[in-house]
Amino acid sequence: MRFDVVTLFPEQFRILSDEGVVARALKRGLASLTTWNPRDFATDAQRTVDDRPYGGGPGMVMKVAPLREAIAAAKHAAAVAGHDSRVAYLSPQGRRLAQADMQRIAAAPGWVLVAGRYEGVDERLLEAHVDEEWSIGDYVLSGGELAAMVVMDAVIRLLPGALGHADSAAQDSHGDGLLDCPHYTRPELIDGRSVPPVLLSGDHAAIARWRRQQALVRTWQRRPDLLRARGLGEDDRALLDEFMRGRAGTAAEQERNET
Ligand code: ADE
């Protein structure tokens, strides 16, 4: 898949292309990343990309024309390469993205991501040239670059072949609408803490069952909103009930011991 990013700070995207899972995916051609600087599309001698807001107030607003031309150039290059790209603008006013959105984004042939700076961009650019507006969370960053990189990282690691192990992405937190189970590695005992015995049992079915139960319990304890949103199948409900019964038993036992 193809990403074209419209940004005043193309160097920042080296974070993605220098090392790590995304860098490897880019090198192997699973995805491509091209940056487009609106300053290169400004027509005045100063290469102006922003101006004061109508109506007054602090900060500067990014002008329509340089952004419009940068987006057009990016879309054209994508089309020539056979990608019908949609345009997304990163901003705190956008729809908040979750894992399911990352899957949808990964299924598209390409995206032009517009990273805004200053106080924002002229609203008329969004109306006429942007298909979607995305937020990565309810907080304000000083620009859309980090948000664009967050989206690209979350999407590119989902592409087939991006991760070493074929199942890794499916097993992530949120992969199935659940948080991930806990993980352990050697040694078996450290600082008085041991590894749950089932993980040492070699019984693959028991291990899979324990992991599923842990994922369900964690989600129930930490993010009940996620459980409410996705609902529970019969098997999952039984696993969660089993944990609750165990807890109730432990609590009753504790009470008996205390009295
Ligand atoms: N730009 C600034 N803050 C942002 C956010 N929370 N999400 C996406 N883009 C942003």
Side-chain angles (χ1 to χ4, degrees):
M1 81 178 298
R2 177 180 172 117
F3 284 104
D4 292 275
V5 183
V6 175
T7 172
L8 289 170
F9 302 99
E11 305 79 31
Q12 291 190 5
F13 288 82
R14 290 224 198 98
I15 291 176
L16 282 184
S17 53
D18 273 0
E19 59 186 352
V21 167
V22 172
R24 272 200 304 281
L26 293 173
K27 279 190 194 100
R28 288 162 54 201
L30 302 178
S32 72
L33 164 59
T34 310
T35 53
W36 303 84
N37 193 335
R39 216 172 275 290
D40 296 335
F41 297 87
T43 48
D44 60 328
Q46 291 77 35
R47 305 212 297 161
T48 310
V49 292
D50 60 338
D51 208 337
R52 286 167 299 155
Y54 278 121
M60 301 288 270
V61 176
M62 290 182 76
K63 294 164 72 65
V64 169
L67 281 173
R68 182 192 61 209
E69 298 311 312
I71 292 171
K75 282 194 81 159
H76 179 72
V80 167
H83 297 265
D84 182 18
S85 293
R86 286 171 63 75
V87 181
Y89 172 57
L90 282 305
S91 97
Q93 284 81 46
R95 197 166 49 77
R96 204 173 58 200
L97 298 179
Q99 187 65 20
D101 299 293
M102 300 307 179
Q103 272 145 8
R104 181 181 68 87
I105 294 166
W111 291 92
V112 176
L113 303 183
V114 182
R117 280 270 147 178
Y118 309 113
E119 297 309 301
V121 310
D122 190 311
E123 189 67 19
R124 294 166 295 182
L125 178 99
L126 306 182
E127 288 166 7
H129 302 287
V130 168
D131 302 308
E132 303 193 15
E133 195 166 338
W134 299 338
S135 165
I136 62 161
D138 293 338
Y139 40 78
V140 180
L141 304 168
S142 46
E145 280 78 9
L146 278 173
M149 285 190 257
V150 165
V151 172
M152 277 189 283
D153 185 291
V155 167
I156 289 173
R157 65 192 296 290
L158 292 176
L159 299 177
L163 295 179
H165 195 282
D167 290 337
S168 305
Q171 285 173 7
D172 285 339
S173 274
H174 300 287
D176 182 26
L178 298 177
L179 301 185
D180 200 4
C181 64
H183 300 279
Y184 300 86
T185 187
R186 279 177 285 192
E188 268 182 53
L189 182 68
I190 185 155
D191 302 335
R193 294 170 189 274
S194 52
V195 174
V198 64
L199 297 180
L200 309 174
S201 69
D203 180 342
H204 296 298
I207 292 169
R209 186 176 191 279
W210 180 85
R211 286 182 169 153
R212 184 74 184 177
Q213 187 174 48
Q214 289 291 314
L216 287 160
V217 168
R218 283 195 154 188
T219 312
W220 172 68
Q221 287 172 332
R222 300 180 186 190
R223 294 292 305 275
D225 57 310
L226 293 179
L227 273 196
R228 275 193 296 276
R230 78 189 280 290
L232 280 181
E234 236 173 76
D235 290 352
D236 285 343
R237 176 154 300 286
L239 275 178
L240 196 51
D241 284 349
E242 179 189 82
F243 173 83
M244 309 264 207
R245 278 199 304 278
R247 247 174 51 130
T250 313
E253 200 174 303
Q254 215 167 2
E255 214 167 289
R256 265 200 309 282
N257 291 342
E258 281 165 9
T259 51

